[in-house]
Amino acid sequence: MTTKQTQTLETRLVQLGVGRDERTGAISFPIYPSATYRHPGVGESTGYDYTRSGNPTRELLEEALAELEGGQRGLAFSSGMAALTTLFLHFSSGDHIIVSEDLYGGTYRLLAQVFEKLGLSASYVDTTDNGAVAAAVTTATRALLVETPGNPLLGVADLEELGRLCRERGLLFIVDNTFLTPVLQRPMEFGADVVVHSATKYLGGHNDLCSGALIARSAELGERLYFLQNSTGAVLPPQECWLLVRSLKTLSLRMERHCANALQIARRLKAHPKVTAVYFPGLEDHPGHELSKRQASGFGGMLSFRVETPELARTALKRLRLISFAESLGGVESLMTLPAVQTHGDIPPEERERLGICESLLRLSVGIESAEDIIADLEQALA
Ligand SMILES: *Cc1c(COP(=O)(O)O)cnc(C)c1O
């Protein structure tokens, strides 16, 4: 029999929690809803005192997250934004961070409208351009936060080069790995100090769970982030932890299908007469294609495309039958959105214009339905 260390990621995912409940031998590790725990005596503990500080079901999930990303510590939060808020509290007033300009709208809002007031400033930089990142570093800069592929235009940042830059300049290297998951991309292999997830997306994978995660490369940073998690309290409840573990068991299978479907759909959209551009790193002419092949083992299930006019984008969204017009991404069900109005509505219009997030740009989170059925729906919606 193989040992845990030599098993593939796929096997370890499926086996999460198996054999962990020694008393009963349960295959599915139980949910521990208990808010508090009895102490054997004064100054003694079973290892669990109070559920915000530690919970057996959450512990299984957090250990799994750390192991999947190759870090020393995983922490589970009630949403991706809760994870990012906790992470940003690591910084002090006067600090500066550099972030991808092709950024999740909610992260932009959190930085620009919440943390800016607390004295944490941010520069929004094209992180697919290593020179631009280097030029944005000031004496106050403490960290670089990269989303790759970017949202919604799927630009690919060079994790190896950016990791090197962060080491040279003494910056904390943070990667939001929501779009590809550790099944396809492991940022810590390129020097990331912290990996962030909106586990609401692919890790959860069924559009039925809101959750987030932080994974720290070192035990020291993990301890500091744990202190912040316990102090601020946005932990993931035990029921949701159990559901997320259940979801992780099928993650690699799901990602395989998301990737295969997205590639097929991107190619078909590219040939469509009313589609003027397709953004998907799996297409040979995408500027991040080669880089993506080097640093990830798949291109993921997200793509964006431009149609001839904003009117066509709106009509198409109304006419969708199989695909749902909805925010979010990464679930088994296909979803489509209009980033300029929905996910990126909080980014100032001039900034959106500059980035190319106009009202004829549609973003598709390709689900795991049959690719032919998804294509048929897109074709009738664009007809
Ligand atoms: C959705 C998302 C977030 C925010 O996560 P929530 O779970 O919605 O709070 C952060 N980063 C990325 C890349 C996302 O897609």
Side-chain angles (χ1 to χ4, degrees):
M1 209 177 94
T2 51
T3 63
K4 214 173 166 202
Q5 280 68 37
T6 60
Q7 285 167 357
T8 60
L9 187 69
E10 288 84 342
T11 301
R12 284 182 283 145
L13 279 167
V14 174
Q15 292 290 322
L16 284 178
V18 177
R20 193 178 173 101
D21 190 41
E22 286 176 359
R23 191 175 66 82
T24 67
I27 296 294
S28 170
F29 189 75
I31 303 170
Y32 284 82
S34 188
T36 191
Y37 301 84
R38 273 163 87 151
H39 300 306
V42 176
E44 294 174 40
S45 166
T46 59
Y48 304 99
D49 305 317
Y50 184 64
T51 200
R52 167 162 40 73
S53 309
N55 172 284
T57 316
R58 197 172 88 227
E59 196 172 73
L60 163 64
L61 170 65
E62 292 183 331
E63 285 176 18
L65 291 167
E67 193 192 315
L68 293 172
E69 287 289 2
Q72 293 293 317
R73 188 79 181 254
L75 299 165
F77 295 87
S78 53
S79 69
M81 295 323 300
L84 283 160
T85 300
T86 305
L87 175 61
F88 293 152
L89 289 169
H90 172 66
F91 301 104
S92 304
S93 175
D95 287 352
H96 169 254
I97 66 172
I98 300 170
V99 297
S100 298
E101 62 179 7
D102 199 4
L103 188 73
Y104 177 69
T107 310
Y108 173 83
R109 180 177 58 201
L110 178 65
L111 285 168
Q113 297 184 34
V114 180
F115 277 93
E116 186 87 47
K117 280 196 291 198
L118 299 176
L120 175 65
S121 63
S123 294
Y124 305 88
V125 174
D126 176 4
T127 46
T128 67
D129 177 349
N130 301 333
V133 177
V137 179
T138 70
T139 52
T141 309
R142 298 287 171 264
L144 168 67
L145 164 59
V146 172
E147 273 183 30
T148 185
N151 181 8
L153 292 171
L154 289 305
V156 181
D158 189 331
L159 292 174
E160 190 167 8
E161 282 302 316
L162 294 174
R164 184 170 306 140
L165 174 86
C166 286
R167 274 196 304 283
E168 282 169 12
R169 303 293 191 93
L171 308 181
L172 200 70
F173 185 28
I174 306 163
V175 179
D176 184 327
N177 204 25
T178 298
F179 271 34
L180 290 185
T181 84
V183 167
L184 302 178
Q185 174 171 278
R186 278 176 297 282
M188 286 192 182
E189 291 173 3
F190 303 98
D193 298 297
V194 182
V195 169
V196 183
H197 277 280
S198 167
T200 312
K201 316 296 167 55
Y202 289 102
L203 299 186
H206 295 73
N207 292 316
D208 59 5
L209 163 68
C210 184
S211 53
L214 294 178
I215 297 98
R217 180 190 192 79
S218 74
E220 296 72 33
L221 183 59
E223 198 52 39
R224 163 83 178 144
L225 295 175
Y226 167 72
F227 168 81
L228 291 168
Q229 180 199 39
N230 187 40
S231 300
T232 56
V235 292
L236 191 65
Q239 285 81 2
E240 318 300 276
C241 291
W242 176 84
L243 189 56
L244 188 48
V245 168
R246 212 270 302 257
S247 300
L248 286 173
K249 290 176 178 252
T250 56
L251 180 64
S252 55
L253 260 185
R254 287 187 281 112
M255 292 316 289
E256 213 173 290
R257 180 66 170 248
H258 283 297
C259 288
N261 275 2
L263 182 60
Q264 211 178 327
I265 292 162
R267 287 186 175 143
R268 289 286 277 275
L269 282 171
K270 202 154 185 261
H272 195 285
K274 291 185 182 167
V275 172
T276 57
V278 180
Y279 303 89
F280 180 66
L283 294 174
E284 283 78 7
D285 61 356
H286 185 282
H289 180 68
E290 288 304 322
L291 180 55
S292 193
K293 281 205 292 199
R294 283 206 301 278
Q295 68 186 24
S297 56
F299 304 109
M302 294 300 299
L303 61 88
S304 292
F305 60 103
R306 259 181 236 289
V307 292
E308 284 171 334
T309 61
E311 292 69 43
L312 178 58
R314 279 169 192 260
T315 321
L317 285 169
K318 251 201 197 129
R319 295 177 62 166
L320 291 172
R321 290 184 199 136
L322 171 68
I323 303 166
S324 295
F325 169 27
E327 288 179 68
S328 200
L329 59 104
V332 291
E333 300 94 352
S334 293
L335 305 180
M336 193 145 97
T337 187
L338 190 64
V341 177
Q342 309 267 285
T343 53
H344 292 62
D346 279 306
I347 295 178
E350 334 63 84
E351 190 56 15
R352 276 205 308 266
E353 187 82 7
R354 193 182 64 76
L355 295 172
I357 308 173
C358 64
E359 294 196 13
S360 54
L361 181 78
L362 291 163
R363 189 188 77 184
L364 178 62
S365 170
V366 179
I368 66 166
E369 303 93 342
S370 119
E372 281 312 318
D373 287 339
I374 302 171
I375 291 166
D377 195 35
L378 288 167
E379 281 177 348
Q380 69 78 25
L382 292 171

mmCIF file of all heavy atoms in Angstrom, residues 79-81 84 104 107 147 151 176 178-179 198 200-201 210-211 329, ligand 1:
data_model
loop_
_atom_site.group_PDB
_atom_site.id
_atom_site.type_symbol
_atom_site.label_atom_id
_atom_site.label_comp_id
_atom_site.label_asym_id
_atom_site.label_seq_id
_atom_site.Cartn_x
_atom_site.Cartn_y
_atom_site.Cartn_z
ATOM 1 N N SER A 79 -15.990 33.338 4.406
ATOM 2 C CA SER A 79 -16.067 33.735 2.990
ATOM 3 C C SER A 79 -14.661 34.078 2.520
ATOM 4 O O SER A 79 -13.745 34.222 3.341
ATOM 5 C CB SER A 79 -16.982 34.959 2.801
ATOM 6 O OG SER A 79 -16.388 36.118 3.374
ATOM 7 N N GLY A 80 -14.516 34.222 1.218
ATOM 8 C CA GLY A 80 -13.236 34.663 0.684
ATOM 9 C C GLY A 80 -12.894 36.060 1.187
ATOM 10 O O GLY A 80 -11.740 36.358 1.515
ATOM 11 N N MET A 81 -13.912 36.932 1.278
ATOM 12 C CA MET A 81 -13.664 38.294 1.759
ATOM 13 C C MET A 81 -13.235 38.286 3.228
ATOM 14 O O MET A 81 -12.403 39.102 3.633
ATOM 15 C CB MET A 81 -14.897 39.187 1.573
ATOM 16 C CG MET A 81 -15.306 39.448 0.126
ATOM 17 S SD MET A 81 -13.960 39.636 -1.058
ATOM 18 C CE MET A 81 -13.098 41.035 -0.396
ATOM 19 N N LEU A 84 -9.605 37.451 3.195
ATOM 20 C CA LEU A 84 -8.791 38.599 2.769
ATOM 21 C C LEU A 84 -8.757 39.690 3.837
ATOM 22 O O LEU A 84 -7.716 40.303 4.073
ATOM 23 C CB LEU A 84 -9.326 39.157 1.442
ATOM 24 C CG LEU A 84 -8.936 38.321 0.216
ATOM 25 C CD1 LEU A 84 -9.858 38.590 -0.962
ATOM 26 C CD2 LEU A 84 -7.476 38.592 -0.176
ATOM 27 N N TYR A 104 -10.435 40.763 -8.573
ATOM 28 C CA TYR A 104 -11.820 40.524 -8.144
ATOM 29 C C TYR A 104 -12.387 41.839 -7.584
ATOM 30 O O TYR A 104 -11.748 42.480 -6.732
ATOM 31 C CB TYR A 104 -11.844 39.426 -7.083
ATOM 32 C CG TYR A 104 -13.223 39.178 -6.535
ATOM 33 C CD1 TYR A 104 -14.211 38.609 -7.333
ATOM 34 C CD2 TYR A 104 -13.560 39.537 -5.241
ATOM 35 C CE1 TYR A 104 -15.494 38.397 -6.849
ATOM 36 C CE2 TYR A 104 -14.836 39.320 -4.739
ATOM 37 C CZ TYR A 104 -15.800 38.756 -5.559
ATOM 38 O OH TYR A 104 -17.060 38.559 -5.066
ATOM 39 N N THR A 107 -12.430 42.494 -3.797
ATOM 40 C CA THR A 107 -11.116 42.738 -3.182
ATOM 41 C C THR A 107 -10.732 44.193 -3.392
ATOM 42 O O THR A 107 -10.207 44.861 -2.499
ATOM 43 C CB THR A 107 -10.050 41.793 -3.780
ATOM 44 O OG1 THR A 107 -10.560 40.463 -3.733
ATOM 45 C CG2 THR A 107 -8.746 41.860 -3.018
ATOM 46 N N GLU A 147 -3.555 37.843 -8.575
ATOM 47 C CA GLU A 147 -4.569 36.890 -9.008
ATOM 48 C C GLU A 147 -4.141 36.404 -10.370
ATOM 49 O O GLU A 147 -3.965 37.211 -11.275
ATOM 50 C CB GLU A 147 -5.925 37.585 -9.181
ATOM 51 C CG GLU A 147 -6.753 37.657 -7.939
ATOM 52 C CD GLU A 147 -8.118 38.289 -8.198
ATOM 53 O OE1 GLU A 147 -8.668 38.165 -9.307
ATOM 54 O OE2 GLU A 147 -8.624 38.933 -7.269
ATOM 55 N N ASN A 151 -9.065 38.384 -13.420
ATOM 56 C CA ASN A 151 -10.517 38.393 -13.485
ATOM 57 C C ASN A 151 -10.987 39.766 -13.949
ATOM 58 O O ASN A 151 -10.675 40.746 -13.277
ATOM 59 C CB ASN A 151 -11.041 38.093 -12.077
ATOM 60 C CG ASN A 151 -12.534 38.042 -11.967
ATOM 61 O OD1 ASN A 151 -13.254 38.086 -12.961
ATOM 62 N ND2 ASN A 151 -13.012 37.954 -10.746
ATOM 63 N N ASP A 176 -3.829 34.743 -4.958
ATOM 64 C CA ASP A 176 -5.220 34.311 -4.900
ATOM 65 C C ASP A 176 -5.362 33.199 -5.940
ATOM 66 O O ASP A 176 -5.304 33.446 -7.140
ATOM 67 C CB ASP A 176 -6.149 35.499 -5.208
ATOM 68 C CG ASP A 176 -7.628 35.140 -5.061
ATOM 69 O OD1 ASP A 176 -7.990 33.975 -5.335
ATOM 70 O OD2 ASP A 176 -8.421 36.022 -4.683
ATOM 71 N N THR A 178 -7.897 31.121 -6.425
ATOM 72 C CA THR A 178 -9.297 30.720 -6.579
ATOM 73 C C THR A 178 -9.598 30.117 -7.951
ATOM 74 O O THR A 178 -10.303 29.130 -8.053
ATOM 75 C CB THR A 178 -10.214 31.951 -6.354
ATOM 76 O OG1 THR A 178 -10.030 32.417 -5.015
ATOM 77 C CG2 THR A 178 -11.671 31.618 -6.571
ATOM 78 N N PHE A 179 -9.043 30.721 -9.012
ATOM 79 C CA PHE A 179 -9.425 30.308 -10.370
ATOM 80 C C PHE A 179 -8.875 28.937 -10.767
ATOM 81 O O PHE A 179 -9.502 28.243 -11.543
ATOM 82 C CB PHE A 179 -8.957 31.357 -11.401
ATOM 83 C CG PHE A 179 -9.970 32.451 -11.654
ATOM 84 C CD1 PHE A 179 -10.800 32.904 -10.642
ATOM 85 C CD2 PHE A 179 -10.094 33.023 -12.921
ATOM 86 C CE1 PHE A 179 -11.734 33.908 -10.867
ATOM 87 C CE2 PHE A 179 -11.028 34.028 -13.165
ATOM 88 C CZ PHE A 179 -11.855 34.472 -12.146
ATOM 89 N N SER A 198 -11.208 31.940 -2.444
ATOM 90 C CA SER A 198 -12.632 31.987 -2.213
ATOM 91 C C SER A 198 -13.058 30.549 -2.445
ATOM 92 O O SER A 198 -13.165 30.095 -3.589
ATOM 93 C CB SER A 198 -13.337 32.912 -3.202
ATOM 94 O OG SER A 198 -14.733 32.664 -3.089
ATOM 95 N N THR A 200 -15.806 29.408 -1.984
ATOM 96 C CA THR A 200 -17.160 29.467 -2.543
ATOM 97 C C THR A 200 -17.151 28.974 -3.989
ATOM 98 O O THR A 200 -18.166 28.515 -4.495
ATOM 99 C CB THR A 200 -17.646 30.942 -2.543
ATOM 100 O OG1 THR A 200 -17.389 31.506 -1.258
ATOM 101 C CG2 THR A 200 -19.103 31.064 -2.865
ATOM 102 N N LYS A 201 -15.994 29.097 -4.638
ATOM 103 C CA LYS A 201 -15.899 28.823 -6.067
ATOM 104 C C LYS A 201 -15.558 27.346 -6.320
ATOM 105 O O LYS A 201 -16.323 26.497 -5.948
ATOM 106 C CB LYS A 201 -14.890 29.785 -6.697
ATOM 107 C CG LYS A 201 -15.046 31.245 -6.224
ATOM 108 C CD LYS A 201 -16.366 31.886 -6.620
ATOM 109 C CE LYS A 201 -16.639 33.195 -5.890
ATOM 110 N NZ LYS A 201 -15.611 34.209 -6.003
ATOM 111 N N CYS A 210 -20.656 29.252 0.990
ATOM 112 C CA CYS A 210 -19.812 30.443 0.978
ATOM 113 C C CYS A 210 -18.681 30.226 1.978
ATOM 114 O O CYS A 210 -18.932 29.961 3.161
ATOM 115 C CB CYS A 210 -20.656 31.663 1.359
ATOM 116 S SG CYS A 210 -19.743 33.212 1.274
ATOM 117 N N SER A 211 -17.448 30.305 1.515
ATOM 118 C CA SER A 211 -16.310 30.024 2.398
ATOM 119 C C SER A 211 -15.017 30.555 1.790
ATOM 120 O O SER A 211 -14.950 30.829 0.589
ATOM 121 C CB SER A 211 -16.190 28.520 2.629
ATOM 122 O OG SER A 211 -16.158 27.841 1.401
ATOM 123 N N LEU A 329 -18.794 31.794 -9.676
ATOM 124 C CA LEU A 329 -18.086 30.957 -10.634
ATOM 125 C C LEU A 329 -17.621 29.686 -9.931
ATOM 126 O O LEU A 329 -17.690 29.577 -8.710
ATOM 127 C CB LEU A 329 -16.866 31.721 -11.186
ATOM 128 C CG LEU A 329 -15.820 32.177 -10.143
ATOM 129 C CD1 LEU A 329 -14.585 31.294 -10.184
ATOM 130 C CD2 LEU A 329 -15.414 33.616 -10.401
HETATM 131 C C1 LIG B 1 -15.250 35.365 -5.243
HETATM 132 C C2 LIG B 1 -13.857 35.762 -5.114
HETATM 133 C C3 LIG B 1 -13.371 36.340 -3.934
HETATM 134 C C4 LIG B 1 -14.295 36.629 -2.762
HETATM 135 O O1 LIG B 1 -14.764 35.476 -2.152
HETATM 136 P P1 LIG B 1 -16.203 35.320 -1.449
HETATM 137 O O2 LIG B 1 -16.228 33.878 -1.083
HETATM 138 O O3 LIG B 1 -17.232 35.704 -2.450
HETATM 139 O O4 LIG B 1 -16.223 36.220 -0.274
HETATM 140 C C5 LIG B 1 -12.022 36.650 -3.863
HETATM 141 N N1 LIG B 1 -11.185 36.414 -4.902
HETATM 142 C C6 LIG B 1 -11.613 35.864 -6.049
HETATM 143 C C7 LIG B 1 -10.662 35.627 -7.168
HETATM 144 C C8 LIG B 1 -12.959 35.516 -6.204
HETATM 145 O O5 LIG B 1 -13.390 34.985 -7.358
#
